[in-house]
Amino acid sequence: PPMALFRPLSAQCRAFSTTPIRAGTKETLRGTHAAIPPYPYGTARWYKQSNTGLYGGVKIQFGNIVSEKNEIKTRRRWHPNVQRKKLFSVALNRFIRVKLTARALRTIDKVGGLDEYLLGDKPARVKELGMKGWLLRWRIMQTGAVQRRFRRERGELRIPT
């Protein structure tokens, strides 16, 4: 029958390739975040690339180039300075390959390492972590070293466990 020649667009198969179709950002995030608590700030709406790394709250900025002579304005964009780095996690005892901005890298150096950056508890830090940072934070919090540290801190503050 002639209708058998046409497949609906939702059918996820290609006759000309054997490589699987990659899932979109939403499907990937849903799969990797299935076992952890939901991120309180949700996925990034305007700069979706920041869901995949430590962007420190940095987004694309917009503005104008203004000519000196005629003051003609031309729109332009400033993109974040994104790097790919391998950072060592003491809690996980291994290197983690992550995309991050230069601003986030400076903050990591300032607070004393990747683990300290991810375990920051102020709302502004949690908000700038993004989806990838939230996932890494959860993985670090599941390690025995971090749980012992929190237990010790609760004991010092005389908070019942």
Side-chain angles (χ1 to χ4, degrees):
M3 290 304 287
L5 297 175
F6 300 102
R7 290 192 187 135
L9 293 175
S10 61
Q12 297 269 323
C13 62
R14 294 184 283 183
F16 57 86
S17 176
T18 58
T19 58
I21 296 174
R22 291 181 54 194
T25 305
K26 285 185 182 176
E27 291 81 19
T28 304
L29 289 172
R30 207 174 292 130
T32 56
H33 287 256
I36 67 172
Y39 179 53
Y41 298 100
T43 60
R45 298 172 117 183
W46 312 120
Y47 189 46
K48 292 178 178 59
Q49 180 181 341
S50 65
N51 290 322
T52 62
L54 300 174
Y55 280 60
V58 178
K59 299 180 181 93
I60 297 176
Q61 293 183 333
F62 298 92
N64 293 317
I65 299 172
V66 182
S67 68
E68 290 183 23
K69 186 174 180 182
N70 298 320
E71 296 186 7
I72 296 171
K73 295 179 181 173
T74 308
R75 290 300 274 177
R76 65 153 294 182
R77 299 187 295 188
W78 287 271
H79 291 271
N81 184 4
V82 180
Q83 310 288 325
R84 284 187 175 88
K85 295 284 182 188
K86 282 191 337 186
L87 301 173
F88 188 75
S89 169
V90 177
L92 297 173
N93 196 26
R94 68 182 181 94
F95 282 94
I96 296 174
R97 191 176 306 226
V98 67
K99 288 191 325 187
L100 73 164
T101 59
R103 174 185 165 178
L105 187 60
R106 289 181 61 194
T107 308
I108 290 169
D109 287 341
K110 180 180 174 182
V111 298
L114 179 64
D115 296 343
E116 298 302 319
Y117 175 77
L118 294 171
L119 293 174
D121 56 351
K122 293 186 178 175
R125 174 62 51 78
V126 173
K127 189 168 186 173
E128 79 178 29
L129 285 179
M131 295 294 283
K132 180 71 172 187
W134 185 253
L135 174 69
L136 292 173
R137 176 187 169 104
W138 180 253
R139 288 186 181 160
I140 286 173
M141 289 177 88
Q142 300 308 305
T143 62
V146 172
Q147 290 179 352
R148 283 190 297 274
R149 172 181 154 185
F150 286 159
R151 223 176 288 123
R152 185 180 67 246
E153 289 175 1
R154 283 194 298 269
E156 290 170 359
L157 295 171
R158 298 179 186 205
I159 299 173
T161 56

